[in-house]
Amino acid sequence: MSFTSLSKLKAQLDNGETTAKELATRYLDRIAAHNDELNAFVDIDPAHVLEQAEASDAYRSKHEARALEGLPIAVKDIFCTQDGPTQCCSNILKDFHAPYDAHVITRLKEAGAVLVGKTNMDEFAMGSSTETSAFGPCRNPWDTDRIPGGSSGGSAAAVAAALTPAALGTDTGGSIRQPASVCGITGLKPTYGRVSRRGIIAFASSLDQAGPMTRTVRDAAMITAAIAGHDPMDSTSVMNAPQVDWLGACDKTNMKGLKIGKPKEYFVDGMDIEVRTCIEKALEKCKELGAEIVDISLPHTESAVAAYYVIAPSEASANLSRYDAVRFGHRCDEPEDLLDMYTRSRDEGFGAEVKRRILTGAFALSSGYYDAYYIKAQQVRTLIRKDFLDAFEKVDVIATPTSPIAAFRIGEKTDDPLTMYLSDIFTIAVNLAGLPGLSQPCGFAHDLPVGLQWITPAWCEDRLLSAASAYETATDWSNKTPATFGGNTGGAK
Amino acid sequence: MSWEVVIGLEVHVQVNSKTKAFCGCSTEFGTEPNTQTCPVCLGMPGQLPVLNMEAAKKTALTGLAINADINLESKFDRKNYFYPDLPKGYQITQFPLPLVENGYLDIPTKDGGEKRIGITRIHMEEDAGKSMHEGLDGVSHIDLNRSGVPLMEIVSEPDMRSADEAIAYLKQLHQLISFLDVSGANMEKGQFRCDANVSVHQPGTPFGTRAELKNLNSFRFIKQAIEYEVIRQIELIEDGGEVVQETRLYDSVKGESRSMRSKEEAHDYRYFPEPDLPPLRMSRDELEAIRAAMPELPGQLRKRFETEYGLSPYDADVLSQTRELASFFEALVAAHPADPKRCANWLANELLGRLKEKGMDISDSPVSSQRLAGLLERIADNTISGKIAKDVLDAMMEADDDADAIIEAKGLKQVSDSGAIDAIITEIMNANPDQVAGYRGGKDKLLGFFVGQVMKASKGKANPGMVNQRLQELLKG
């Protein structure tokens, strides 16, 4: 019953079968029982959760219920909230309390959601495994020796183990889709500019986007509908973005007439054969549902990871300059002078991966290297964007694996950042092009979940949701839950 | 050896928009430290900039006034450096594609001609906060009220050849900025700040290596600093040394400069496009609307004062020096339309003179244009003489009373009664029979003596015109 989707919980609340307080209590109990094992949550305030739930029940008794009335939703530790600490899982923001809510947090509150707590993540969202967190690694509910993906690993693990019915993540190079994939849940990264970034701690400003991590496609649509929209205080949130019928798009049960592009660059030698088999089978299923599979090429895919690891660190190197120990955040003991305060505070506050990326970015932007790295990477970005535009002349959606491999073991790749970076190889291009992408469960490889990624043109999330809904309805993968945490499916061990 | 001086100037002007460049905080000067801040200008996590279009429009207006090209699409960049009063660790500025490019100003030269000084660009950026180190016992304090205040940086070509030319350019620019009402332009408040790039070379050879002089906050210091730098460089070269590219800080107390950082120590600012802000786009219509709303500039005003009011070129020039002065003059003429020249004289010579003695500006004048016009009306209708009027103006500077009240209270009303004047004249003639005889004997110049005596006897209140006329008649005998 804990593995119930957000949509079904909403129905139960609406018809009086349950209350917000009952739901809050149920999930708080599960967090209390399982969080030690998973380390999915880094901050929980049970009293405050119950308070919100009671307030929601009271609201419901007097008014018409709002879109997410009484529904528990967890958020990644990257979203600023007035309540509780916002630490981005970094020592440099240890015990930082933001005096404001992120725009999406305000939207969730206005929709009546009950905020459950802050979930674990890679420090400053820099990582693919949630191992760089200052609060220790998060674990995958399907096999607790394995990573839950990252950087939104805490959100993914929490939803997969039903410690919350839904969560928010952010996605800069795949940080919603990849953990959703390896934890067997659904994750949506909206079009860049669809959701306000205000109050979300910046990693790479031109790539960051917030989105839902849920049990089902419809659940993802419900949350996106609540958080999307122009924010006058984020100049990159688009003012007159094309509107989408978020929930209506999820009613689709077939793929008649849908042209699905299958990019050859995403089905390469060296990828896990069982992962590949899952994706091939998924595409067969799509054909049965009426879709036409079209072989396409996205020729610059190969350069996406390299371009990303110039652009994202470059932006990050500037975005993280504000953590200078002057106004907030960690300050070293007894600084000798200004330089000592800067260097020692930042040295103590940032973890190794964050330092690596700040250095990489500062190097790429430095005089004499700027043209060779930053400018070149931006040129590649333009070519990647064009690849997609060309492809969408021929097809409606593109389907790919979300990740070339299933969840790897904790510690397996920590000493080899380059291999780690390659786990985002199939998700990064979507961010560089600013497109929406969705990952949904489509089977198991080595008894671990595998994700199918859908990509559409900018602002066409409805097409994305329709394709994913049709696939979800025709298969049973989204109903698979890890037995170790009370679910219905065997698990790896 | 003959040396030629080459000077280029970078001027930072605080734009007087109501709110900061990228947030809604007030830009008011002189309030309690850290009271005009918000999460955006404090550089808090997750906060994002939103461009203040008022500041952009004022920058574009300045661009139009220096005959420059306005880029309908310009871009913002990040300039990265660490300093405690720079909250984000980077300054939002415009690097490769500024809002304004390719303008110029014509400055007056000593021989009465004009010289054209090129202006490379004007870009928008945000100001940093203020660090305070003095008298704090080794602790530094930071005030972030100024953080995010909009600036325009106006960069000239290296077209100036002397400290005097540099000052002439700065004064011209300062005057223009004031007229456009795009900045308070108060140098003491740091609203108009100048950095100077100075080098020397022998004419006909390439430019020399330049030094950048920082921290110049008055016209006098700028002139001193440039002159000091020119001598320093020439002496250095003539002694067989070499000028190095560096940034130097001018100490106005010691009257000398010292090296702040060399080229090797120069920051690598790692500029890159600001991903939080889309390009600044301005439509042709918007630009035309800005152009249409451009106020009258000093040159236009000067010409109009000459033709419309018949002022001398000198008076027209004086009264068009500042926008405040010009508006004061026009308000004065509106209140005393009969004689614009009298208005000009009394404003330019009498009121300004008195204000200058008190170290005041026209905007602080205790005598309003309405009150001054009231005084001029009494001269026009012969209630008082010009001379008495000066005393009345002195009294007006000290009290809030208008001219009529002062004239009444002090009994300064002019005597225009011919009987009373004749009585004084007769008295004076009786007291000075020799001079009467002399005048009658052909010494016309003695008329001045009698006028003086009569005026003195009347305590200046006698109507000078009538005194003159009656004297000539009565002296004939």
Side-chain angles (χ1 to χ4, degrees):
Chain A
M1 148 161 166
S2 303
F3 289 95
T4 312
S5 71
L6 204 63
S7 329
K8 283 193 184 134
L9 292 176
K10 181 177 162 59
Q12 290 171 8
L13 282 165
D14 286 349
N15 64 27
E17 266 177 67
T18 186
T19 64
K21 191 174 180 186
E22 221 173 271
L23 288 184
T25 310
R26 184 194 307 168
Y27 287 101
L28 283 172
D29 287 349
R30 282 192 65 84
I31 293 168
H34 298 296
N35 195 50
D36 282 354
E37 221 172 327
L38 291 173
N39 199 24
F41 281 89
V42 295
D43 184 73
I44 280 282
D45 180 354
H48 184 58
V49 176
L50 291 173
E51 219 172 88
Q52 293 175 69
E54 281 164 10
S56 171
D57 285 331
Y59 185 94
R60 185 185 285 275
S61 68
K62 293 192 196 109
H63 310 276
E64 198 174 328
R66 295 161 291 186
L68 299 174
E69 194 67 62
L71 294 170
I73 296 176
V75 303
K76 191 178 180 178
D77 196 25
I78 202 167
F79 294 94
C80 289
T81 52
Q82 286 181 36
D83 302 318
T86 301
Q87 306 173 93
C88 226
C89 287
S90 176
N91 282 323
I92 209 147
L93 280 175
K94 195 144 182 71
D95 300 325
F96 174 72
H97 281 72
Y100 42 81
D101 281 334
H103 185 253
V104 293
I105 297 294
T106 307
R107 286 290 184 91
L108 287 183
K109 284 183 174 174
E110 285 169 359
V114 172
L115 299 177
V116 186
K118 292 287 178 66
T119 59
N120 206 352
M121 58 184 280
D122 282 297
E123 183 182 3
F124 280 101
M126 297 177 184
S128 311
S129 64
T130 315
E131 290 172 289
T132 70
S133 166
F135 298 108
C138 174
R139 293 167 184 277
N140 191 320
W142 292 91
D143 178 350
T144 52
D145 288 338
R146 291 178 184 268
I147 58 106
S151 64
S152 311
S155 288
V159 174
L163 307 192
T164 177
L168 281 191
T170 58
D171 190 318
T172 305
S175 282
I176 287 175
R177 290 159 290 151
Q178 185 258 15
S181 167
V182 302
C183 286
I185 62 165
T186 298
L188 169 65
K189 182 202 93 78
T191 307
Y192 183 82
R194 176 73 84 184
V195 175
S196 168
R197 293 183 297 113
R198 175 164 56 97
I200 301 173
I201 295 179
F203 163 14
S205 313
S206 74
L207 300 162
D208 296 344
Q209 192 67 190
M213 304 178 77
T214 54
R215 306 218 64 82
T216 69
V217 176
R218 183 176 295 273
D219 291 1
M222 270 171 68
I223 293 179
T224 314
I227 62 173
H230 177 63
D231 170 11
M233 290 174 77
D234 172 2
S235 312
T236 64
S237 89
V238 172
M239 180 124 49
N240 296 309
Q243 294 301 303
V244 166
D245 179 3
W246 298 98
L247 295 178
C250 300
D251 294 335
K252 199 88 174 170
T253 52
N254 67 66
M255 296 191 182
K256 283 194 187 93
L258 189 72
K259 282 187 183 168
I260 301 175
K262 184 186 173 195
K264 64 175 188 211
E265 293 81 4
Y266 286 67
F267 295 84
V268 288
D269 292 342
M271 70 185 285
D272 187 298
I273 190 70
E274 290 194 27
V275 169
R276 183 173 183 148
T277 306
C278 284
I279 305 299
E280 301 282 6
K281 278 188 186 161
L283 290 175
E284 281 306 312
K285 181 54 100 180
C286 293
K287 252 199 239 175
E288 286 170 27
L289 290 168
E292 181 191 343
I293 311 296
V294 183
D295 286 323
I296 57 164
S297 171
L298 298 166
H300 298 91
T301 300
E302 199 186 33
S303 308
V305 173
Y308 175 87
Y309 277 99
V310 170
I311 292 169
S314 293
E315 294 181 8
S317 73
N319 282 334
L320 271 60
S321 291
R322 67 189 62 201
Y323 308 106
D324 59 1
V326 175
R327 289 143 295 129
F328 53 81
H330 173 72
R331 182 185 288 180
C332 66
D333 288 331
E334 302 290 322
E336 279 170 32
D337 54 23
L338 181 62
L339 190 63
D340 183 48
M341 181 178 89
Y342 281 157
T343 51
R344 213 144 45 83
S345 302
R346 286 168 68 84
D347 183 41
E348 292 166 3
F350 290 134
E353 183 59 28
V354 172
K355 285 177 196 166
R356 183 179 294 127
R357 299 209 194 184
I358 290 173
L359 279 174
T360 308
F363 177 77
L365 293 174
S366 60
S367 134
Y369 298 95
Y370 181 77
D371 290 356
Y373 292 103
Y374 187 81
I375 295 288
K376 184 62 78 181
Q378 290 293 2
Q379 288 166 345
V380 170
R381 188 174 188 173
T382 304
L383 291 173
I384 285 169
R385 203 174 279 144
K386 194 176 167 297
D387 278 358
F388 280 109
L389 286 177
D390 292 346
F392 287 123
E393 293 283 309
K394 301 186 199 93
V395 297
D396 304 310
V397 293
I398 292 172
T400 78
T402 307
S403 172
I405 49 170
F408 49 87
R409 286 182 192 285
I410 290 173
E412 192 180 322
K413 292 181 194 284
T414 38
D415 294 334
D416 187 358
L418 281 183
T419 328
M420 179 82 89
Y421 294 171
L422 289 176
S423 54
D424 292 335
I425 187 168
F426 296 151
T427 46
I428 273 173
V430 170
N431 297 79
L432 289 172
L435 306 180
L438 180 145
S439 178
Q440 69 179 147
C442 70
F444 289 84
H446 320 286
D447 298 325
L448 294 163
V450 171
L452 171 67
Q453 175 175 238
W454 296 99
I455 306 166
T456 60
W459 314 114
C460 296
E461 285 93 337
D462 45 357
R463 218 185 281 172
L464 199 69
L465 293 166
S466 292
S469 293
Y471 179 78
E472 185 184 79
T473 313
T475 60
D476 198 30
W477 302 117
S478 290
N479 297 324
K480 304 284 185 195
T481 51
T484 342
F485 291 87
N488 56 22
T489 304
K493 286 195 277 192
Chain B
M1 279 192 281
S2 78
W3 293 97
E4 184 177 61
V5 179
V6 176
I7 302 164
L9 297 171
E10 290 167 17
V11 180
H12 287 90
V13 177
Q14 269 186 9
V15 179
N16 62 354
S17 55
K18 284 185 199 68
T19 57
K20 291 186 179 179
F22 301 112
C23 64
C25 289
S26 163
T27 55
E28 200 188 331
F29 180 84
T31 52
E32 280 292 299
N34 297 309
T35 53
Q36 288 172 174
T37 58
C38 72
V40 175
C41 59
L42 291 177
M44 300 289 277
Q47 293 296 328
L48 300 169
V50 176
L51 176 65
N52 176 348
M53 275 310 288
E54 187 195 358
K57 284 179 179 171
K58 290 193 166 188
T59 306
L61 175 66
T62 310
L64 291 172
I66 57 154
N67 315 293
D69 302 328
I70 312 298
N71 289 320
L72 296 178
E73 182 174 309
S74 63
K75 290 180 176 168
F76 290 95
D77 299 275
R78 291 184 183 177
K79 177 180 178 177
N80 295 286
Y81 66 95
F82 283 96
Y83 206 70
D85 59 24
L86 186 73
K88 297 189 296 297
Y90 57 85
Q91 177 193 35
I92 302 177
T93 179
Q94 297 191 295
F95 192 47
L97 193 55
L99 179 55
V100 178
E101 283 181 293
N102 303 322
Y104 63 83
L105 267 188
D106 289 327
I107 62 166
T109 52
K110 278 193 172 154
D111 58 13
E114 277 190 342
K115 176 171 174 177
R116 180 156 293 183
I117 307 296
I119 294 176
T120 322
R121 54 189 276 148
I122 305 178
H123 61 254
M124 299 186 67
E125 57 185 31
E126 54 178 339
D127 212 341
K130 262 186 194 164
S131 296
M132 284 160 285
H133 314 290
E134 309 289 318
L136 293 168
D137 253 346
V139 178
S140 293
H141 287 182
I142 297 161
D143 177 6
L144 293 175
N145 282 350
R146 202 179 68 176
S147 163
V149 167
L151 292 176
M152 46 185 166
E153 182 173 339
I154 304 171
V155 183
S156 85
E157 292 287 310
D159 285 350
M160 286 147 281
R161 293 292 172 269
S162 68
D164 285 334
E165 278 187 13
I167 299 303
Y169 164 79
L170 287 172
K171 286 192 167 163
Q172 188 91 346
L173 185 62
H174 187 267
Q175 186 191 43
L176 182 69
I177 297 291
S178 310
F179 266 85
L180 293 172
D181 193 23
V182 293
S183 171
N186 185 319
M187 295 179 85
E188 281 167 23
K189 292 181 182 171
Q191 293 165 340
F192 188 96
R193 317 196 284 264
C194 176
D195 299 339
N197 286 299
V198 179
S199 66
V200 298
H201 75 141
Q202 313 242 328
T205 66
F207 285 172
T209 305
R210 64 192 161 86
E212 187 183 12
L213 306 176
K214 287 217 176 261
N215 199 24
L216 308 174
N217 55 12
S218 81
F219 291 132
R220 194 160 59 93
F221 294 155
I222 295 166
K223 189 166 176 337
Q224 283 171 6
I226 292 174
E227 283 167 349
Y228 174 88
E229 181 60 19
V230 167
I231 293 168
R232 190 189 70 86
Q233 290 187 12
I234 291 173
E235 282 179 352
L236 192 64
I237 298 170
E238 289 185 344
D239 288 349
E242 233 175 66
V243 176
V244 294
Q245 193 176 328
E246 63 183 349
T247 304
R248 298 182 68 86
L249 208 59
Y250 184 70
D251 183 332
S252 56
V253 180
K254 290 185 185 155
E256 55 187 45
S257 65
R258 60 180 165 83
S259 182
M260 200 167 105
R261 56 176 175 259
S262 70
K263 188 187 177 186
E264 287 71 33
E265 295 164 314
H267 295 298
D268 180 351
Y269 290 118
R270 305 190 309 278
Y271 286 97
F272 76 102
E274 164 59 285
D276 286 334
L277 287 169
L280 163 55
R281 291 193 178 88
M282 226 173 247
S283 68
R284 290 213 175 273
D285 288 350
E286 278 174 298
L287 198 59
E288 285 319 308
I290 294 169
R291 195 194 301 274
M294 168 123 33
E296 226 173 354
L297 298 180
Q300 298 163 317
L301 209 53
R302 195 162 53 229
K303 286 201 187 86
R304 188 164 64 79
F305 283 0
E306 286 179 35
T307 53
E308 194 174 329
Y309 302 125
L311 302 193
S312 68
Y314 176 81
D315 281 347
D317 188 51
V318 169
L319 296 176
S320 60
Q321 281 304 307
T322 69
R323 212 167 45 91
E324 291 76 14
L325 190 55
S327 335
F328 192 104
F329 172 66
E330 298 223 75
L332 183 60
V333 172
H336 183 66
D339 196 343
K341 277 189 185 174
R342 178 184 284 134
C343 293
N345 283 335
W346 277 82
L347 175 54
N349 301 319
E350 303 304 330
L351 183 60
L352 284 188
R354 283 165 176 76
L355 289 171
K356 202 175 172 189
E357 274 171 28
K358 290 176 178 284
M360 284 171 147
D361 215 48
I362 187 70
S363 44
D364 323 313
S365 173
V367 178
S368 68
S369 55
Q370 287 300 319
R371 288 177 71 213
L372 184 57
L375 179 66
L376 302 190
E377 285 296 321
R378 296 292 84 84
I379 302 173
D381 66 12
N382 284 325
T383 306
I384 52 171
S385 67
K387 191 163 177 300
I388 292 287
K390 290 178 188 179
D391 298 336
V392 176
L393 183 55
D394 286 336
M396 288 167 75
M397 294 290 289
E398 307 300 332
D400 289 337
D401 300 329
D402 59 21
D404 286 341
I406 293 168
I407 293 167
E408 191 62 45
K410 299 199 171 180
L412 297 174
K413 211 165 190 174
Q414 184 160 273
V415 178
S416 299
D417 170 1
S418 61
I421 291 175
D422 284 2
I424 301 172
I425 291 175
T426 311
E427 205 176 297
I428 298 292
M429 284 172 66
N430 290 340
N432 297 285
D434 293 354
Q435 280 79 356
V436 173
Y439 181 84
R440 286 182 177 157
K443 287 187 182 171
D444 290 353
K445 280 184 181 167
L446 278 169
L447 180 65
F449 165 78
F450 287 106
V451 171
Q453 290 297 311
V454 173
M455 292 308 288
K456 194 174 164 189
S458 75
K459 295 191 178 119
K461 287 190 284 185
N463 180 329
M466 281 186 72
V467 170
N468 230 303
Q469 186 202 339
R470 291 305 300 153
L471 264 173
Q472 290 189 43
E473 282 176 23
L474 293 171
L475 280 169
K476 274 186 205 156

